[in-house]
Amino acid sequence: MHGPARAGLAAVAAGAVVIAGLDIAYLGEINPLRRTISEHGLGDEAWVFGLGVALLAMGSLAIGVSLLRRRLAGALGLVALLGWSLGLLVVAWFPKHDWSVGPSVSGSIHRVGSFVAFLCLPVAAMLIARTWRKHPRAALAAFVLGGASLLWVAGIATMIAIGNSNGMAWWRVMPLGLVERGLAVTEVGALIALGVWAASRAVTNGPAPLRPVDGTRPATEAGR
């Protein structure tokens, strides 16, 4: 397995386990149907939440390095993947805000970071894995999960528009916590698929020279 991809997968898995563990540990205090994942950043466990998100961000960067070294990703896909990682770091550094008490600069930055992260990952997955027909199944999985993530984002945007048109708070139009967790699981799945693709031994940077059926060496090899 490619070293950076292997390290990235390990970091992503660890980060996902940390955040899922927080959800389970505080199930009685934080309603996963209504409360977002970032709610963990407001309590005594804020540092644990920040650690989990940082692991996801750093793991994503390592996977991006592997994709770059193996020439599996173009510039736009890598920029989108970088946007996802930076968005996650912003979410970890700037805590969620209680908007019922008024606006907050930190809360606004957190919201922008969340939006950038959740939008950039599916774009990155679909751009990077768009050549899935020529590559292992992990590339197809990344492409499909990236498309599914975009559908989640489109659904959230639709609910926000419906809420605004009816004078309702957009976070009350849908079970926001459940929807966000569904989106997060789908996006982390797409990220893991990219990592598996980057780590695959079957990946090559170019087609191997064809060997004639009579067993003689190709001209490119014979001239060496």
Side-chain angles (χ1 to χ4, degrees):
M1 294 179 71
H2 204 242
R6 181 174 55 192
L9 284 170
V12 168
V17 168
V18 167
I19 295 174
L22 284 174
D23 260 357
I24 295 172
Y26 291 87
L27 189 59
E29 302 177 27
I30 298 178
N31 183 355
L33 298 180
R34 288 292 177 184
R35 298 294 183 178
T36 62
I37 303 172
S38 297
E39 198 83 16
H40 294 297
L42 299 177
D44 295 336
E45 71 279 9
W47 70 272
V48 181
F49 171 75
L51 174 63
V53 175
L55 284 170
L56 285 173
M58 300 309 295
S60 302
L61 290 175
I63 290 172
V65 168
S66 190
L67 290 167
L68 176 63
R69 288 184 178 180
R70 306 197 78 172
R71 301 179 184 177
L72 294 175
L76 290 179
L78 290 173
V79 168
L81 190 60
L82 178 61
W84 150 266
S85 299
L86 293 178
L88 289 179
L89 292 176
V90 168
V91 167
W93 189 262
F94 295 92
K96 178 183 177 180
H97 176 67
D98 183 1
W99 292 94
S100 65
V101 300
S104 162
V105 173
S106 176
S108 297
I109 296 174
H110 176 92
R111 178 176 288 182
V112 171
S114 300
F115 176 78
V116 169
F118 282 136
L119 182 60
C120 280
L121 192 279
V123 171
M126 296 189 73
L127 285 175
I128 294 172
R130 68 185 184 277
T131 58
W132 58 266
R133 294 179 184 84
K134 301 178 182 178
H135 295 286
R137 293 179 181 178
L140 172 60
F143 187 88
V144 171
L145 289 170
S149 299
L150 277 182
L151 291 178
W152 277 112
V153 173
I156 294 172
T158 301
M159 291 298 101
I160 292 174
I162 292 174
N164 290 336
S165 64
N166 293 310
M168 297 176 59
W170 62 269
W171 58 86
R172 298 185 181 276
V173 180
M174 54 186 163
L176 182 59
L178 179 62
V179 171
E180 187 194 54
R181 283 168 173 80
L183 171 60
V185 168
T186 308
E187 295 203 345
V188 171
L191 179 63
I192 290 174
L194 287 176
V196 171
W197 181 26
S200 174
R201 292 182 182 275
V203 174
T204 58
N205 292 335
L210 297 177
R211 185 174 295 278
V213 295
D214 60 3
T216 59
R217 290 184 298 170
T220 53
E221 293 185 10
R224 292 176 183 172

